[in-house]
Amino acid sequence: MSGRALLMWDEAVTQYDFGSEHPMDPVRLALTMSLVRAFGLDRAVDVVSAKPAGDSTLRLVHREDYVAAVRAASADPRHADQAYGLGTVDDPAFAGMHEVSALIAGQSVGAAEAVWRGEAAHAVNFAGGLHHAMPGAASGFCIYNDASLAIARLLELGAERVAYVDVDVHHGDGVQAAFWDDPRVLTVSLHEHPRTLFPQTGWPEETGAAGAGEGGAVNVALPAGTGDAGWLRAFHAVVPELIADFRPQVLVTQHGADTHFEDPLAHLAVSLDAQRAVQVACHELAHEYADGRWLALGGGGYAVVDVVPRSWTHLVGIAAHAPVDPESVVPSSWRDEVYARTRQLGPARMTDGRWPVGFRDWAEGYDPADRLDQAVLATRKAAFPLRGLLA
């Protein structure tokens, strides 16, 4: 296996653009890549591009009629069919939508292939992580579900156990749906409680299809307002034990940056430093249980200057085995670019001032009156026994 990590990048992914009024501003991708370069991380990884996902690949997850509908809306946005979730407020149709969505999907699929074949130890596609897209519909700013497509490709190549861990503030509903009844895939999602956030799914009781799929889905529904210590406590109370039991051949992780306290679309209170800590933990889990095979994806994140570029630059550095010190000063050249592009002042350091982030380990006991502990316990009681683990 090559010791180098891959960074999947093609400038054309910035054409994934729902318009100037939409919160998913593609400047977040451009600024992330610029910050990666400013820290010299593009020299610590192999920066490559993969071809767009073709129809046969897209059909590993998506229905043929849906792909046809995306193509039609892409050719003429006036013909977007809202029955497929296209042309809506969340997913406005735009010219070239199919092509750029297939390109992003292709980067994740190509990364998965490289990791499986041992051509790279790790791979990152921060333009990916579009986890809401369903087999037959767009949803939640997501047209094609690159995470599901990458996993489906791994299964097609012969993988027997793939674990997917999603720490976006929104439930990873599309990936869960794609593998609801497939025992080869374990999906774990930590997200804000569905009572208070889209897509209103991801309850602890959602544990996979009865029969072979039972226990294949695990959901941690976190109370609004959860901060660093609670978020890390929940992650470590659930994820490592599941991964140790499942022993995946590949670990796929989704690192939406919208858990951050500055994110305008959600209600968690997580810092950049806690996000970095979870990235480190996922990297360690991949080495400990998956022979190092790790595919890391981006996802949500709508504080497009202050949060997303720093969070995903940390992710790239960790995958490259060249982590960026949280105390590092952000290069002035990048801050100048931020101002030129956005007329905003960029952050000065690669930390929110909370590194290292502490938390209380679940093994030390839990408080039945604490809302965070209640959420963790609900997950463990619902899912762990189905996998033969103690709640």
Side-chain angles (χ1 to χ4, degrees):
M1 179 183 292
S2 169
R4 296 276 286 184
L6 295 183
L7 175 57
M8 312 303 296
W9 179 250
D10 187 315
E11 295 285 347
V13 300
T14 60
Q15 295 170 21
Y16 192 84
D17 188 352
F18 291 114
S20 60
E21 301 303 313
H22 197 281
M24 188 178 258
D25 188 336
V27 76
R28 68 198 194 123
L29 303 178
L31 290 178
T32 299
M33 192 61 199
S34 293
L35 189 56
V36 165
R37 290 176 175 138
F39 276 106
L41 293 174
D42 56 325
R43 298 188 297 274
V45 297
D46 293 329
V47 180
V48 300
S49 178
K51 63 183 181 181
D55 282 8
S56 62
T57 296
L58 293 172
R59 287 199 298 269
L60 291 174
V61 169
H62 294 291
R63 294 200 321 250
E64 187 172 1
D65 60 315
Y66 173 61
V67 175
V70 174
R71 281 186 182 279
S74 181
D76 186 346
R78 295 172 300 176
H79 293 163
D81 188 342
Q82 292 198 7
Y84 291 102
L86 303 168
T88 62
V89 172
D90 275 2
D91 297 283
F94 60 91
M97 180 172 64
H98 165 78
E99 288 76 14
V100 68
S101 299
L103 178 63
I104 291 171
Q107 305 311 303
S108 292
V109 171
E113 291 172 346
V115 168
W116 178 252
R117 291 169 178 159
E119 296 164 6
H122 314 318
V124 179
N125 178 23
F126 58 73
L130 304 177
H131 59 168
H132 294 307
M134 293 293 176
S139 178
F141 315 163
C142 304
I143 306 301
Y144 294 139
N145 195 317
D146 64 286
S148 293
L149 289 163
I151 294 168
R153 180 64 175 137
L154 288 167
L155 299 177
E156 190 177 51
L157 291 171
E160 296 174 347
R161 294 182 310 283
V162 180
Y164 172 76
V165 176
D166 188 319
V167 295
D168 192 289
V169 78
H170 302 91
H171 177 224
D173 57 338
V175 185
Q176 175 179 286
F179 304 104
W180 184 248
D181 58 358
D182 193 330
R184 298 173 295 175
V185 181
L186 172 67
T187 64
V188 186
S189 179
L190 286 83
H191 46 266
E192 185 179 327
H193 201 286
R195 284 197 192 97
T196 54
L197 195 66
F198 174 90
Q200 282 79 51
T201 59
W203 298 79
E205 295 77 18
E206 296 173 33
T207 56
E214 204 164 47
V218 181
N219 288 289
V220 187
L222 300 167
T226 296
D228 288 358
W231 194 62
L232 291 175
R233 176 169 166 80
F235 178 92
H236 287 281
V238 172
V239 176
E241 193 171 346
L242 290 168
I243 299 301
D245 172 68
F246 190 64
R247 296 196 168 265
Q249 293 162 297
V250 186
L251 178 63
V252 180
T253 57
Q254 196 268 23
H255 297 271
D258 43 10
T259 52
H260 196 272
F261 55 77
E262 288 188 13
D263 196 90
L265 299 190
H267 318 97
L268 296 191
V270 173
S271 73
L272 181 79
D273 300 294
Q275 291 177 348
R276 185 186 187 279
V278 161
Q279 294 165 3
V280 169
C282 289
H283 180 217
E284 291 173 349
L285 288 169
H287 276 290
E288 188 167 359
Y289 298 110
D291 196 27
R293 295 189 187 94
W294 182 34
L295 170 56
L297 307 172
Y302 309 100
V304 299
V305 169
D306 284 349
V307 178
V308 174
R310 290 189 298 161
S311 186
W312 292 347
T313 296
H314 276 305
L315 180 64
V316 172
I318 290 161
H321 296 141
V324 176
D325 190 309
E327 292 297 330
S328 298
V329 174
V330 173
S332 59
S333 60
W334 183 79
R335 298 183 75 208
D336 291 344
E337 180 181 349
V338 166
Y339 189 76
R341 283 179 174 268
T342 69
R343 291 297 183 263
Q344 296 182 46
L345 297 177
R349 291 185 178 271
M350 291 296 286
T351 178
D352 284 334
R354 299 184 184 180
W355 188 266
V357 185
F359 67 95
R360 192 166 65 92
D361 192 87
W362 188 255
E364 297 175 17
Y366 62 88
D367 179 358
D370 181 83
R371 291 173 65 224
L372 185 281
D373 283 8
Q374 289 170 2
V376 171
L377 194 59
T379 297
R380 291 181 63 99
K381 284 184 173 179
F384 276 43
L386 298 175
R387 305 204 62 85
L389 301 173
L390 294 175

mmCIF file with all atom_site columns, all heavy atoms in Angstrom, residues 87-110:
data_model
loop_
_atom_site.group_PDB
_atom_site.id
_atom_site.type_symbol
_atom_site.label_atom_id
_atom_site.label_alt_id
_atom_site.label_comp_id
_atom_site.label_asym_id
_atom_site.label_entity_id
_atom_site.label_seq_id
_atom_site.pdbx_PDB_ins_code
_atom_site.Cartn_x
_atom_site.Cartn_y
_atom_site.Cartn_z
_atom_site.occupancy
_atom_site.B_iso_or_equiv
_atom_site.pdbx_formal_charge
_atom_site.auth_seq_id
_atom_site.auth_comp_id
_atom_site.auth_asym_id
_atom_site.auth_atom_id
_atom_site.pdbx_PDB_model_num
ATOM 1   N N   . GLY A 1 87  ? -35.431 21.650 -8.609  1.00 0.00 ? 87  GLY A N   1
ATOM 2   C CA  . GLY A 1 87  ? -36.114 22.917 -8.804  1.00 0.00 ? 87  GLY A CA  1
ATOM 3   C C   . GLY A 1 87  ? -36.826 23.396 -7.553  1.00 0.00 ? 87  GLY A C   1
ATOM 4   O O   . GLY A 1 87  ? -37.742 24.216 -7.624  1.00 0.00 ? 87  GLY A O   1
ATOM 5   N N   . THR A 1 88  ? -36.399 22.922 -6.400  1.00 0.00 ? 88  THR A N   1
ATOM 6   C CA  . THR A 1 88  ? -36.980 23.327 -5.115  1.00 0.00 ? 88  THR A CA  1
ATOM 7   C C   . THR A 1 88  ? -36.111 24.414 -4.488  1.00 0.00 ? 88  THR A C   1
ATOM 8   O O   . THR A 1 88  ? -35.044 24.765 -4.989  1.00 0.00 ? 88  THR A O   1
ATOM 9   C CB  . THR A 1 88  ? -37.049 22.127 -4.166  1.00 0.00 ? 88  THR A CB  1
ATOM 10  O OG1 . THR A 1 88  ? -35.714 21.667 -3.910  1.00 0.00 ? 88  THR A OG1 1
ATOM 11  C CG2 . THR A 1 88  ? -37.861 20.991 -4.779  1.00 0.00 ? 88  THR A CG2 1
ATOM 12  N N   . VAL A 1 89  ? -36.555 24.944 -3.346  1.00 0.00 ? 89  VAL A N   1
ATOM 13  C CA  . VAL A 1 89  ? -35.769 25.951 -2.633  1.00 0.00 ? 89  VAL A CA  1
ATOM 14  C C   . VAL A 1 89  ? -34.425 25.360 -2.204  1.00 0.00 ? 89  VAL A C   1
ATOM 15  O O   . VAL A 1 89  ? -33.372 26.005 -2.323  1.00 0.00 ? 89  VAL A O   1
ATOM 16  C CB  . VAL A 1 89  ? -36.545 26.479 -1.410  1.00 0.00 ? 89  VAL A CB  1
ATOM 17  C CG1 . VAL A 1 89  ? -35.649 27.378 -0.554  1.00 0.00 ? 89  VAL A CG1 1
ATOM 18  C CG2 . VAL A 1 89  ? -37.791 27.240 -1.858  1.00 0.00 ? 89  VAL A CG2 1
ATOM 19  N N   . ASP A 1 90  ? -34.436 24.141 -1.697  1.00 0.00 ? 90  ASP A N   1
ATOM 20  C CA  . ASP A 1 90  ? -33.192 23.508 -1.257  1.00 0.00 ? 90  ASP A CA  1
ATOM 21  C C   . ASP A 1 90  ? -32.300 23.114 -2.418  1.00 0.00 ? 90  ASP A C   1
ATOM 22  O O   . ASP A 1 90  ? -31.070 23.208 -2.330  1.00 0.00 ? 90  ASP A O   1
ATOM 23  C CB  . ASP A 1 90  ? -33.497 22.256 -0.415  1.00 0.00 ? 90  ASP A CB  1
ATOM 24  C CG  . ASP A 1 90  ? -33.743 22.574 1.038   1.00 0.00 ? 90  ASP A CG  1
ATOM 25  O OD1 . ASP A 1 90  ? -33.718 23.767 1.401   1.00 0.00 ? 90  ASP A OD1 1
ATOM 26  O OD2 . ASP A 1 90  ? -33.975 21.628 1.813   1.00 0.00 ? 90  ASP A OD2 1
ATOM 27  N N   . ASP A 1 91  ? -32.889 22.639 -3.496  1.00 0.00 ? 91  ASP A N   1
ATOM 28  C CA  . ASP A 1 91  ? -32.130 22.104 -4.625  1.00 0.00 ? 91  ASP A CA  1
ATOM 29  C C   . ASP A 1 91  ? -32.569 22.762 -5.940  1.00 0.00 ? 91  ASP A C   1
ATOM 30  O O   . ASP A 1 91  ? -33.175 22.120 -6.803  1.00 0.00 ? 91  ASP A O   1
ATOM 31  C CB  . ASP A 1 91  ? -32.307 20.579 -4.700  1.00 0.00 ? 91  ASP A CB  1
ATOM 32  C CG  . ASP A 1 91  ? -31.744 19.891 -3.476  1.00 0.00 ? 91  ASP A CG  1
ATOM 33  O OD1 . ASP A 1 91  ? -30.524 19.758 -3.396  1.00 0.00 ? 91  ASP A OD1 1
ATOM 34  O OD2 . ASP A 1 91  ? -32.541 19.501 -2.593  1.00 0.00 ? 91  ASP A OD2 1
ATOM 35  N N   . PRO A 1 92  ? -32.277 24.051 -6.105  1.00 0.00 ? 92  PRO A N   1
ATOM 36  C CA  . PRO A 1 92  ? -32.636 24.711 -7.359  1.00 0.00 ? 92  PRO A CA  1
ATOM 37  C C   . PRO A 1 92  ? -31.889 24.067 -8.533  1.00 0.00 ? 92  PRO A C   1
ATOM 38  O O   . PRO A 1 92  ? -30.737 23.651 -8.392  1.00 0.00 ? 92  PRO A O   1
ATOM 39  C CB  . PRO A 1 92  ? -32.155 26.155 -7.146  1.00 0.00 ? 92  PRO A CB  1
ATOM 40  C CG  . PRO A 1 92  ? -31.907 26.294 -5.682  1.00 0.00 ? 92  PRO A CG  1
ATOM 41  C CD  . PRO A 1 92  ? -31.556 24.934 -5.178  1.00 0.00 ? 92  PRO A CD  1
ATOM 42  N N   . ALA A 1 93  ? -32.538 23.977 -9.647  1.00 0.00 ? 93  ALA A N   1
ATOM 43  C CA  . ALA A 1 93  ? -31.872 23.444 -10.840 1.00 0.00 ? 93  ALA A CA  1
ATOM 44  C C   . ALA A 1 93  ? -30.961 24.513 -11.433 1.00 0.00 ? 93  ALA A C   1
ATOM 45  O O   . ALA A 1 93  ? -31.265 25.704 -11.375 1.00 0.00 ? 93  ALA A O   1
ATOM 46  C CB  . ALA A 1 93  ? -32.908 23.007 -11.859 1.00 0.00 ? 93  ALA A CB  1
ATOM 47  N N   . PHE A 1 94  ? -29.843 24.073 -11.987 1.00 0.00 ? 94  PHE A N   1
ATOM 48  C CA  . PHE A 1 94  ? -28.940 25.003 -12.664 1.00 0.00 ? 94  PHE A CA  1
ATOM 49  C C   . PHE A 1 94  ? -28.287 24.298 -13.840 1.00 0.00 ? 94  PHE A C   1
ATOM 50  O O   . PHE A 1 94  ? -28.155 23.075 -13.864 1.00 0.00 ? 94  PHE A O   1
ATOM 51  C CB  . PHE A 1 94  ? -27.879 25.559 -11.704 1.00 0.00 ? 94  PHE A CB  1
ATOM 52  C CG  . PHE A 1 94  ? -26.987 24.534 -11.059 1.00 0.00 ? 94  PHE A CG  1
ATOM 53  C CD1 . PHE A 1 94  ? -25.774 24.162 -11.642 1.00 0.00 ? 94  PHE A CD1 1
ATOM 54  C CD2 . PHE A 1 94  ? -27.348 23.936 -9.851  1.00 0.00 ? 94  PHE A CD2 1
ATOM 55  C CE1 . PHE A 1 94  ? -24.939 23.232 -11.043 1.00 0.00 ? 94  PHE A CE1 1
ATOM 56  C CE2 . PHE A 1 94  ? -26.519 23.004 -9.240  1.00 0.00 ? 94  PHE A CE2 1
ATOM 57  C CZ  . PHE A 1 94  ? -25.308 22.644 -9.841  1.00 0.00 ? 94  PHE A CZ  1
ATOM 58  N N   . ALA A 1 95  ? -27.910 25.068 -14.827 1.00 0.00 ? 95  ALA A N   1
ATOM 59  C CA  . ALA A 1 95  ? -27.298 24.516 -16.035 1.00 0.00 ? 95  ALA A CA  1
ATOM 60  C C   . ALA A 1 95  ? -25.994 23.796 -15.670 1.00 0.00 ? 95  ALA A C   1
ATOM 61  O O   . ALA A 1 95  ? -25.170 24.323 -14.926 1.00 0.00 ? 95  ALA A O   1
ATOM 62  C CB  . ALA A 1 95  ? -27.027 25.623 -17.047 1.00 0.00 ? 95  ALA A CB  1
ATOM 63  N N   . GLY A 1 96  ? -25.826 22.581 -16.192 1.00 0.00 ? 96  GLY A N   1
ATOM 64  C CA  . GLY A 1 96  ? -24.618 21.808 -15.907 1.00 0.00 ? 96  GLY A CA  1
ATOM 65  C C   . GLY A 1 96  ? -24.675 21.041 -14.600 1.00 0.00 ? 96  GLY A C   1
ATOM 66  O O   . GLY A 1 96  ? -23.667 20.475 -14.157 1.00 0.00 ? 96  GLY A O   1
ATOM 67  N N   . MET A 1 97  ? -25.848 20.995 -13.974 1.00 0.00 ? 97  MET A N   1
ATOM 68  C CA  . MET A 1 97  ? -25.992 20.350 -12.672 1.00 0.00 ? 97  MET A CA  1
ATOM 69  C C   . MET A 1 97  ? -25.600 18.875 -12.712 1.00 0.00 ? 97  MET A C   1
ATOM 70  O O   . MET A 1 97  ? -24.919 18.374 -11.810 1.00 0.00 ? 97  MET A O   1
ATOM 71  C CB  . MET A 1 97  ? -27.443 20.498 -12.196 1.00 0.00 ? 97  MET A CB  1
ATOM 72  C CG  . MET A 1 97  ? -27.757 19.868 -10.853 1.00 0.00 ? 97  MET A CG  1
ATOM 73  S SD  . MET A 1 97  ? -29.423 20.323 -10.313 1.00 0.00 ? 97  MET A SD  1
ATOM 74  C CE  . MET A 1 97  ? -30.425 19.548 -11.577 1.00 0.00 ? 97  MET A CE  1
ATOM 75  N N   . HIS A 1 98  ? -26.031 18.163 -13.743 1.00 0.00 ? 98  HIS A N   1
ATOM 76  C CA  . HIS A 1 98  ? -25.679 16.740 -13.833 1.00 0.00 ? 98  HIS A CA  1
ATOM 77  C C   . HIS A 1 98  ? -24.177 16.560 -13.941 1.00 0.00 ? 98  HIS A C   1
ATOM 78  O O   . HIS A 1 98  ? -23.590 15.717 -13.257 1.00 0.00 ? 98  HIS A O   1
ATOM 79  C CB  . HIS A 1 98  ? -26.362 16.096 -15.040 1.00 0.00 ? 98  HIS A CB  1
ATOM 80  C CG  . HIS A 1 98  ? -25.764 14.762 -15.397 1.00 0.00 ? 98  HIS A CG  1
ATOM 81  N ND1 . HIS A 1 98  ? -26.055 13.611 -14.696 1.00 0.00 ? 98  HIS A ND1 1
ATOM 82  C CD2 . HIS A 1 98  ? -24.855 14.408 -16.353 1.00 0.00 ? 98  HIS A CD2 1
ATOM 83  C CE1 . HIS A 1 98  ? -25.365 12.601 -15.221 1.00 0.00 ? 98  HIS A CE1 1
ATOM 84  N NE2 . HIS A 1 98  ? -24.630 13.062 -16.219 1.00 0.00 ? 98  HIS A NE2 1
ATOM 85  N N   . GLU A 1 99  ? -23.554 17.349 -14.779 1.00 0.00 ? 99  GLU A N   1
ATOM 86  C CA  . GLU A 1 99  ? -22.130 17.160 -15.045 1.00 0.00 ? 99  GLU A CA  1
ATOM 87  C C   . GLU A 1 99  ? -21.285 17.389 -13.794 1.00 0.00 ? 99  GLU A C   1
ATOM 88  O O   . GLU A 1 99  ? -20.396 16.581 -13.481 1.00 0.00 ? 99  GLU A O   1
ATOM 89  C CB  . GLU A 1 99  ? -21.680 18.099 -16.172 1.00 0.00 ? 99  GLU A CB  1
ATOM 90  C CG  . GLU A 1 99  ? -22.193 17.695 -17.546 1.00 0.00 ? 99  GLU A CG  1
ATOM 91  C CD  . GLU A 1 99  ? -23.666 18.018 -17.784 1.00 0.00 ? 99  GLU A CD  1
ATOM 92  O OE1 . GLU A 1 99  ? -24.262 18.795 -16.994 1.00 0.00 ? 99  GLU A OE1 1
ATOM 93  O OE2 . GLU A 1 99  ? -24.239 17.488 -18.767 1.00 0.00 ? 99  GLU A OE2 1
ATOM 94  N N   . VAL A 1 100 ? -21.544 18.469 -13.062 1.00 0.00 ? 100 VAL A N   1
ATOM 95  C CA  . VAL A 1 100 ? -20.708 18.735 -11.885 1.00 0.00 ? 100 VAL A CA  1
ATOM 96  C C   . VAL A 1 100 ? -21.046 17.784 -10.744 1.00 0.00 ? 100 VAL A C   1
ATOM 97  O O   . VAL A 1 100 ? -20.163 17.355 -9.987  1.00 0.00 ? 100 VAL A O   1
ATOM 98  C CB  . VAL A 1 100 ? -20.814 20.210 -11.453 1.00 0.00 ? 100 VAL A CB  1
ATOM 99  C CG1 . VAL A 1 100 ? -22.193 20.554 -10.905 1.00 0.00 ? 100 VAL A CG1 1
ATOM 100 C CG2 . VAL A 1 100 ? -19.736 20.528 -10.419 1.00 0.00 ? 100 VAL A CG2 1
ATOM 101 N N   . SER A 1 101 ? -22.306 17.391 -10.634 1.00 0.00 ? 101 SER A N   1
ATOM 102 C CA  . SER A 1 101 ? -22.683 16.425 -9.591  1.00 0.00 ? 101 SER A CA  1
ATOM 103 C C   . SER A 1 101 ? -22.032 15.071 -9.863  1.00 0.00 ? 101 SER A C   1
ATOM 104 O O   . SER A 1 101 ? -21.553 14.397 -8.935  1.00 0.00 ? 101 SER A O   1
ATOM 105 C CB  . SER A 1 101 ? -24.205 16.282 -9.529  1.00 0.00 ? 101 SER A CB  1
ATOM 106 O OG  . SER A 1 101 ? -24.827 17.507 -9.218  1.00 0.00 ? 101 SER A OG  1
ATOM 107 N N   . ALA A 1 102 ? -22.002 14.662 -11.124 1.00 0.00 ? 102 ALA A N   1
ATOM 108 C CA  . ALA A 1 102 ? -21.346 13.412 -11.494 1.00 0.00 ? 102 ALA A CA  1
ATOM 109 C C   . ALA A 1 102 ? -19.837 13.510 -11.284 1.00 0.00 ? 102 ALA A C   1
ATOM 110 O O   . ALA A 1 102 ? -19.180 12.520 -10.926 1.00 0.00 ? 102 ALA A O   1
ATOM 111 C CB  . ALA A 1 102 ? -21.649 13.066 -12.947 1.00 0.00 ? 102 ALA A CB  1
ATOM 112 N N   . LEU A 1 103 ? -19.272 14.707 -11.484 1.00 0.00 ? 103 LEU A N   1
ATOM 113 C CA  . LEU A 1 103 ? -17.839 14.900 -11.253 1.00 0.00 ? 103 LEU A CA  1
ATOM 114 C C   . LEU A 1 103 ? -17.501 14.722 -9.773  1.00 0.00 ? 103 LEU A C   1
ATOM 115 O O   . LEU A 1 103 ? -16.533 14.030 -9.425  1.00 0.00 ? 103 LEU A O   1
ATOM 116 C CB  . LEU A 1 103 ? -17.420 16.293 -11.727 1.00 0.00 ? 103 LEU A CB  1
ATOM 117 C CG  . LEU A 1 103 ? -15.952 16.646 -11.498 1.00 0.00 ? 103 LEU A CG  1
ATOM 118 C CD1 . LEU A 1 103 ? -15.023 15.731 -12.279 1.00 0.00 ? 103 LEU A CD1 1
ATOM 119 C CD2 . LEU A 1 103 ? -15.701 18.118 -11.860 1.00 0.00 ? 103 LEU A CD2 1
ATOM 120 N N   . ILE A 1 104 ? -18.292 15.332 -8.913  1.00 0.00 ? 104 ILE A N   1
ATOM 121 C CA  . ILE A 1 104 ? -18.056 15.188 -7.472  1.00 0.00 ? 104 ILE A CA  1
ATOM 122 C C   . ILE A 1 104 ? -18.196 13.727 -7.060  1.00 0.00 ? 104 ILE A C   1
ATOM 123 O O   . ILE A 1 104 ? -17.369 13.199 -6.302  1.00 0.00 ? 104 ILE A O   1
ATOM 124 C CB  . ILE A 1 104 ? -19.020 16.092 -6.682  1.00 0.00 ? 104 ILE A CB  1
ATOM 125 C CG1 . ILE A 1 104 ? -18.658 17.566 -6.899  1.00 0.00 ? 104 ILE A CG1 1
ATOM 126 C CG2 . ILE A 1 104 ? -18.984 15.751 -5.191  1.00 0.00 ? 104 ILE A CG2 1
ATOM 127 C CD1 . ILE A 1 104 ? -19.663 18.550 -6.338  1.00 0.00 ? 104 ILE A CD1 1
ATOM 128 N N   . ALA A 1 105 ? -19.228 13.067 -7.577  1.00 0.00 ? 105 ALA A N   1
ATOM 129 C CA  . ALA A 1 105 ? -19.411 11.643 -7.267  1.00 0.00 ? 105 ALA A CA  1
ATOM 130 C C   . ALA A 1 105 ? -18.224 10.828 -7.766  1.00 0.00 ? 105 ALA A C   1
ATOM 131 O O   . ALA A 1 105 ? -17.741 9.915  -7.081  1.00 0.00 ? 105 ALA A O   1
ATOM 132 C CB  . ALA A 1 105 ? -20.711 11.138 -7.900  1.00 0.00 ? 105 ALA A CB  1
ATOM 133 N N   . GLY A 1 106 ? -17.744 11.175 -8.949  1.00 0.00 ? 106 GLY A N   1
ATOM 134 C CA  . GLY A 1 106 ? -16.614 10.447 -9.499  1.00 0.00 ? 106 GLY A CA  1
ATOM 135 C C   . GLY A 1 106 ? -15.361 10.567 -8.657  1.00 0.00 ? 106 GLY A C   1
ATOM 136 O O   . GLY A 1 106 ? -14.559 9.615  -8.570  1.00 0.00 ? 106 GLY A O   1
ATOM 137 N N   . GLN A 1 107 ? -15.180 11.732 -8.014  1.00 0.00 ? 107 GLN A N   1
ATOM 138 C CA  . GLN A 1 107 ? -14.010 11.897 -7.143  1.00 0.00 ? 107 GLN A CA  1
ATOM 139 C C   . GLN A 1 107 ? -14.078 10.942 -5.951  1.00 0.00 ? 107 GLN A C   1
ATOM 140 O O   . GLN A 1 107 ? -13.073 10.320 -5.567  1.00 0.00 ? 107 GLN A O   1
ATOM 141 C CB  . GLN A 1 107 ? -13.903 13.331 -6.641  1.00 0.00 ? 107 GLN A CB  1
ATOM 142 C CG  . GLN A 1 107 ? -13.883 14.401 -7.710  1.00 0.00 ? 107 GLN A CG  1
ATOM 143 C CD  . GLN A 1 107 ? -12.900 14.133 -8.832  1.00 0.00 ? 107 GLN A CD  1
ATOM 144 O OE1 . GLN A 1 107 ? -11.694 13.973 -8.596  1.00 0.00 ? 107 GLN A OE1 1
ATOM 145 N NE2 . GLN A 1 107 ? -13.399 14.060 -10.050 1.00 0.00 ? 107 GLN A NE2 1
ATOM 146 N N   . SER A 1 108 ? -15.263 10.787 -5.368  1.00 0.00 ? 108 SER A N   1
ATOM 147 C CA  . SER A 1 108 ? -15.397 9.879  -4.222  1.00 0.00 ? 108 SER A CA  1
ATOM 148 C C   . SER A 1 108 ? -15.260 8.425  -4.647  1.00 0.00 ? 108 SER A C   1
ATOM 149 O O   . SER A 1 108 ? -14.635 7.622  -3.948  1.00 0.00 ? 108 SER A O   1
ATOM 150 C CB  . SER A 1 108 ? -16.738 10.113 -3.517  1.00 0.00 ? 108 SER A CB  1
ATOM 151 O OG  . SER A 1 108 ? -16.762 11.380 -2.899  1.00 0.00 ? 108 SER A OG  1
ATOM 152 N N   . VAL A 1 109 ? -15.840 8.084  -5.789  1.00 0.00 ? 109 VAL A N   1
ATOM 153 C CA  . VAL A 1 109 ? -15.726 6.709  -6.285  1.00 0.00 ? 109 VAL A CA  1
ATOM 154 C C   . VAL A 1 109 ? -14.274 6.391  -6.637  1.00 0.00 ? 109 VAL A C   1
ATOM 155 O O   . VAL A 1 109 ? -13.740 5.327  -6.277  1.00 0.00 ? 109 VAL A O   1
ATOM 156 C CB  . VAL A 1 109 ? -16.656 6.492  -7.497  1.00 0.00 ? 109 VAL A CB  1
ATOM 157 C CG1 . VAL A 1 109 ? -16.386 5.144  -8.147  1.00 0.00 ? 109 VAL A CG1 1
ATOM 158 C CG2 . VAL A 1 109 ? -18.121 6.595  -7.064  1.00 0.00 ? 109 VAL A CG2 1
ATOM 159 N N   . GLY A 1 110 ? -13.610 7.315  -7.319  1.00 0.00 ? 110 GLY A N   1
ATOM 160 C CA  . GLY A 1 110 ? -12.211 7.096  -7.660  1.00 0.00 ? 110 GLY A CA  1
ATOM 161 C C   . GLY A 1 110 ? -11.330 6.980  -6.425  1.00 0.00 ? 110 GLY A C   1
ATOM 162 O O   . GLY A 1 110 ? -10.397 6.163  -6.389  1.00 0.00 ? 110 GLY A O   1
#
